[in-house]
Amino acid sequence: MPSPVLIILLLILSISLSSAQTYNILSYGAKPDGKTDSTKALSAVWAKACASVKAVTISIPKGRFLLRSIVFDGAKCKRKSVTFRIQGTLVAPSDYRVIGNGNYWIFFQHLDGLSVYGGVLDAQGGFLWSCKKSGKNCPSGATSIGFQSSSNVVISGLTSLNSQMFHVVINGCRNVNIQGVKVSADGNSPNTDGIHVQSSSTVSILNSKISTGDDCVSIGPGTNGLWIENVACGPGHGISIGSLGKESVEAGVQNVTVKTATFTGTENGVRIKSWARPSNGFAKNIRFQHCVMNNVQNPIVIDQNYCPGNENCPNQVSGIKISDVMFFDIHGTSATQVGVKFDCSSKKPCTGIRLQDVKLTYRNKPAMADCSHAGGTEAGFQQPNSCL
C-alpha cells in the first residue's frame, strides 16, 4: 500500500495536471487552409494564455496557417511560462512587404519558461531575395523568429524554411536550449543566418542541421557561455564569432565551445571575424574541437580585416583582442590552398592560439597555413605545418 506521503504527492500532481489549460487556435477562428489570415486568432489565444494563472499550452494542429507579424510579450502576463506545441506550418504572406518592413515575423519577449516544440515556419523569403537581386527598392526583411529578454527557453524540433533575413535570433536571453532544429534556405540567399546569438548567456545548440546563405551560426557581442554540438552546416558561411568591432564600445564574446560539427561545401568552417577599426571588444576562451571539413573554402580562419565585398571598409586596425582559442582535431579537405589563416590585428595581436591534431588537405596534398600577428602553440599532428 502506498505511503501517505506518496498519496499526497500523487494528489498534488494530479491537481496540477488537471489545472493545466490548453488552447487550440482552431477554436478561435484559425483555419488550416494556408489562405485564411490566422493572426487575429493567434493573438486572441495569446491574450487568453497571458491572462491565465494556470499552466498554459497553445496548440497549433496540422495544416498550414497564414500568419502576419506577431509579438508574444509576456511583460504583463500573470504567468511568464507558456508552451507552444506546433504540429502544422505557419506560413508568411507571399507578398514580402507584409512582414518585410518589420524586424521580426514571430517575436517572443519578457518570458520565463517558454517552450516551443515542433512546427514549421515558412517565411517564403525567396520572393524578397529575388527583389534584392534585381536591384529594386526592397525592404530589408524580417527575422523569422526571435527571442528577447527571456529566460529558460526551450526550442525543440522546429524547422525554419526560407527566411527573409535571419532564421532564429536569441538576444538578451539566459538559459536557452535549442535542439533538433532544421534550418533551410538557398545557398545564395542573402543575410539568412541560421541561428544568431548575442547578449545572451548559457545557450546550447544541439543536434541541428543548418543549410543557408550566410553564417550557419553567428555569435555576436555579449555572448557568454555558448555550447554548440553535433551540428551539420552547409551550404553557408560556417560557424562565425562576429563580426565584432562594429562599435567602439562593445561587449566581448567568451566561453564558446563548438564540438563535433561537420561543414560541407561551406565558405568558411570555424571563424572569428572583426572589422578593422578601434573597439574595446574581445573574444576569449574559445574551443573548436572534433570538426570535419568537406571541401570548405576557409576551414580555419581568424579575420581581423573583415569587410565583405570590400565595400565601405574602415581601413583602420582592429581593436578586438582575440586570445585563448583552441583548434583541436580539425580535419578534412580545403577547397583553397590556404587551410589555416590567422590575419590578426597589428595593434592587438592574437595570443594563446593552440593548434592540436589538425589535418587539412587541398587536392590530396597538405594545405598551407598563413599567419599574421598571431602567437601560440601547437601539439600533435600538424598539417599544414603551423605558422604560429
Side-chain angles (χ1 to χ4, degrees), residues 171-252:
N171 181 21
C173 293
R174 180 181 60 82
N175 193 20
V176 180
N177 181 267
I178 302 171
Q179 56 185 330
V181 165
K182 182 179 179 182
V183 169
S184 181
D186 188 273
N188 293 318
S189 56
N191 302 117
T192 53
D193 294 47
I195 301 173
H196 177 74
V197 181
Q198 68 180 37
S199 303
S200 297
S201 61
T202 319
V203 178
S204 59
I205 301 170
L206 311 173
N207 309 319
S208 296
K209 179 173 173 49
I210 302 172
S211 307
T212 188
D214 210 297
D215 292 331
C216 293
V217 181
S218 53
I219 302 158
T223 300
N224 183 1
L226 171 62
W227 187 280
I228 300 170
E229 185 172 1
N230 193 24
V231 168
C233 173
H237 293 180
I239 294 178
S240 297
I241 294 176
S243 52
L244 305 179
K246 289 181 181 177
E247 307 294 337
S248 60
V249 177
E250 187 175 272

Side-chain angles (χ1 to χ4, degrees), residues 30 34 53 105-106 114 120-121 178 183 209 219 225 252 291 320 351 372 383:
V53 296
W105 174 26
I106 301 167
L114 168 68
V120 177
L121 308 180
I178 302 171
V183 169
K209 179 173 173 49
I219 302 158
C291 296
I320 299 293
T351 58
S372 178
Q383 183 178 290

Side-chain angles (χ1 to χ4, degrees), residues 4 9 69 71 85 127 143 158 226 243 246 262 376 383:
L9 289 173
S69 301
V71 175
R85 293 197 177 274
F127 296 105
T143 287
L158 180 72
L226 171 62
S243 52
K246 289 181 181 177
T262 302
Q383 183 178 290

Side-chain angles (χ1 to χ4, degrees), residues 330-342:
I330 314 289
H331 61 276
T333 55
S334 175
T336 61
Q337 197 167 13
V338 177
V340 178
K341 184 169 185 177
F342 298 140

